[in-house]
Amino acid sequence: MIYTVTFNPSLDYIVQVEAFQTGRVNRTSSEQLLPGGKGINVSIVLKNLGIETTALGFLAGFTGKEIEERIREYGCRTDFTWLLKGHSRINLKLKSAIESEINGQGPDISEEALMNLYEKLSRLTDEDMLVLAGSIPASLPSSIYQQIMSRLTKKNLKIIVDASGDLLLQVLKYHPFLIKPNNHELSELFDIPLTKEEDYIACGLKLQEKGAKNVLISLAGAGAILITEQGEVIKSKAPKGKVVNSVGAGDSMVAGFITGYLETGNYGHALKMGIAAGSSSAFSSQLATKAEVTAMLEKMENKVV
Ligand SMILES: Nc1ncnc2c1ncn2[C@@H]1O[C@H](COP(=O)(O)OP(=O)(O)OP(=O)(O)O)[C@@H](O)[C@H]1O
Ligand SMILES: O=P(O)(O)OC[C@@]1(O)O[C@H](CO)[C@@H](O)[C@@H]1O
């Protein structure tokens, strides 16, 4: 079973405003409300691609109830820990000439709730896969993913971490199976502006030296670079298309990569599946469906994109 953990789920309120102006009353031309949070998005896309997961994490209040209901509508299994105070956040995604996002802080997670999650994670076995994705509420230390991984060191399960900054750096010594920084996160990690492919690769290799097995660097419309545990560097361009909503493109890429890897054990195929799922989500108002990913993969293989 694949387990995803989202410490800070959200309701994503995605609004389109034709010519957004600051300091004015703006009116939307379309609105969408979707369950969000990185681990949850990974679970939804995996389900769309035919792979069962259980979504773990923390939910609270009326927004939490709505998030869980909407995730279940996709057919995903959930086993969230409920917080007794506060409510899960609402993240605003503003689409105008450019895309802007305002992500909330999320509710405080009590010690008791954290123990409840740890208890669920202690039941994982070597055959399971764990995805730790997204930010954590401000009340928790940035060592939290590291703490989870250190509790699981005796087990041989594959762990995927999609996080930024210290949250990511601190887990590397526990040898995550896959990390997926985007180009901006990579620049932030090394505190230098990166623009060239060779610089991305050099930084990716440094993360591998620190312990990550596979490093997948996503470059939005420019595709992605995978550095495999065997030291192979595989690059893939992204297909061209009209971006409708890129929120969750990175999470879709993680789900596509997992699917491709589980299907064949081949990293080249996993990367292609990751790109096909990421780009399908970017070109659609919803997260990628199986039909969209299959069609995208075919186009990529026939080089018609
Ligand atoms: N403009 C785009 N055109 C084509 N494909 C895209 C575009 N943006 C994203 N993608 C696809 O999605 C993948 C992941 O995108 P990106 O690098 O933006 O991840 P991310 O920053 O983690 O995304 P997010 O945080 O929005 O989920 C890319 O490698 C690509 O396959
Ligand atoms: O604040 P975080 O946890 O870093 O990111 C949360 C978030 O932006 O990530 C997903 C897209 O990747 C959205 O569904 C969600 O709103």
Side-chain angles (χ1 to χ4, degrees):
M1 171 64 72
I2 300 177
Y3 293 85
T4 62
V5 178
T6 311
F7 269 78
N8 214 347
S10 57
L11 269 180
D12 288 349
Y13 187 48
I14 303 165
V15 297
Q16 180 88 39
V17 177
E18 289 321 323
F20 177 76
Q21 289 178 290
T22 53
R24 292 281 180 91
V25 173
N26 293 268
R27 305 276 174 191
T28 67
S29 55
S30 75
E31 302 146 28
Q32 248 187 317
L33 201 56
L34 296 174
K38 296 193 191 305
I40 289 172
N41 291 339
V42 172
S43 272
I44 292 172
V45 177
L46 281 171
K47 178 71 190 178
N48 287 352
L49 295 176
I51 296 180
E52 289 297 333
T53 69
T54 299
L56 303 173
F58 302 94
L59 289 175
F62 73 102
T63 40
K65 286 200 184 109
E66 189 64 27
I67 292 168
E68 183 164 58
E69 207 173 298
R70 284 172 182 255
I71 301 170
R72 286 196 179 152
E73 279 168 16
Y74 286 92
C76 296
R77 284 185 211 170
T78 60
D79 187 13
F80 286 101
T81 299
W82 282 88
L83 304 169
L84 302 178
K85 284 190 199 149
H87 60 266
S88 296
R89 61 192 174 151
I90 297 174
N91 287 346
L92 178 68
K93 316 290 177 180
L94 171 62
K95 315 229 157 280
S96 194
I98 51 167
E99 289 185 4
S100 312
E101 304 188 27
I102 302 179
N103 287 2
Q105 295 181 42
D108 284 354
I109 295 172
S110 65
E111 190 61 25
E112 207 185 347
L114 198 54
M115 289 306 134
N116 183 274
L117 174 72
Y118 285 166
E119 206 271 312
K120 291 178 203 279
L121 294 176
S122 70
R123 290 185 235 136
L124 266 53
T125 69
D126 288 2
E127 281 69 49
D128 293 323
M129 201 179 243
L130 177 66
V131 180
L132 300 171
S135 68
I136 51 162
S139 57
L140 288 179
S142 61
S143 58
I144 206 76
Y145 283 175
Q146 178 203 321
Q147 285 176 32
I148 291 178
M149 287 189 72
S150 78
R151 282 168 173 261
L152 295 171
T153 41
K154 291 214 182 84
K155 304 195 189 193
N156 210 9
L157 76 167
K158 290 188 167 59
I159 303 184
I160 293 163
V161 183
D162 185 6
S164 50
D166 266 358
L167 209 52
L168 177 63
L169 281 182
Q170 295 192 24
V171 302
L172 298 177
K173 57 177 177 287
Y174 293 101
H175 308 295
F177 170 69
L178 177 75
I179 59 172
K180 195 216 68 65
N182 65 26
N183 47 340
H184 306 294
E185 288 161 350
L186 207 58
S187 292
E188 271 165 34
L189 281 176
F190 290 90
D191 204 15
I192 36 168
L194 302 171
T195 49
K196 289 193 281 198
E197 209 172 80
E198 59 260 37
D199 297 337
Y200 296 136
I201 296 171
C203 289
L205 286 168
K206 283 188 189 149
L207 296 177
Q208 212 175 36
E209 271 164 33
K210 287 180 194 279
K213 287 189 180 147
N214 297 290
V215 182
L216 176 56
I217 302 162
S218 68
L219 307 168
I225 302 170
L226 174 69
I227 307 174
T228 72
E229 55 188 332
Q230 289 88 16
E232 205 184 345
V233 176
I234 316 176
K235 300 171 204 168
S236 179
K237 291 207 165 72
K240 300 261 173 295
K242 185 175 180 301
V243 176
V244 177
N245 176 20
S246 68
V247 175
D251 313 326
S252 306
M253 167 167 251
V254 170
F257 183 94
I258 294 173
T259 309
Y261 177 77
L262 292 178
E263 278 171 356
T264 60
N266 178 290
Y267 284 126
H269 177 64
L271 174 62
K272 270 195 199 146
M273 277 293 286
I275 295 264
S279 298
S280 297
S281 282
F283 301 158
S284 160
S285 60
Q286 302 261 350
L287 292 172
T289 62
K290 186 165 184 156
E292 287 166 345
V293 177
T294 309
M296 187 67 76
L297 198 62
E298 241 167 59
K299 281 189 191 166
M300 286 166 65
E301 273 164 3
N302 297 324
K303 301 205 171 18
V304 289
V305 282

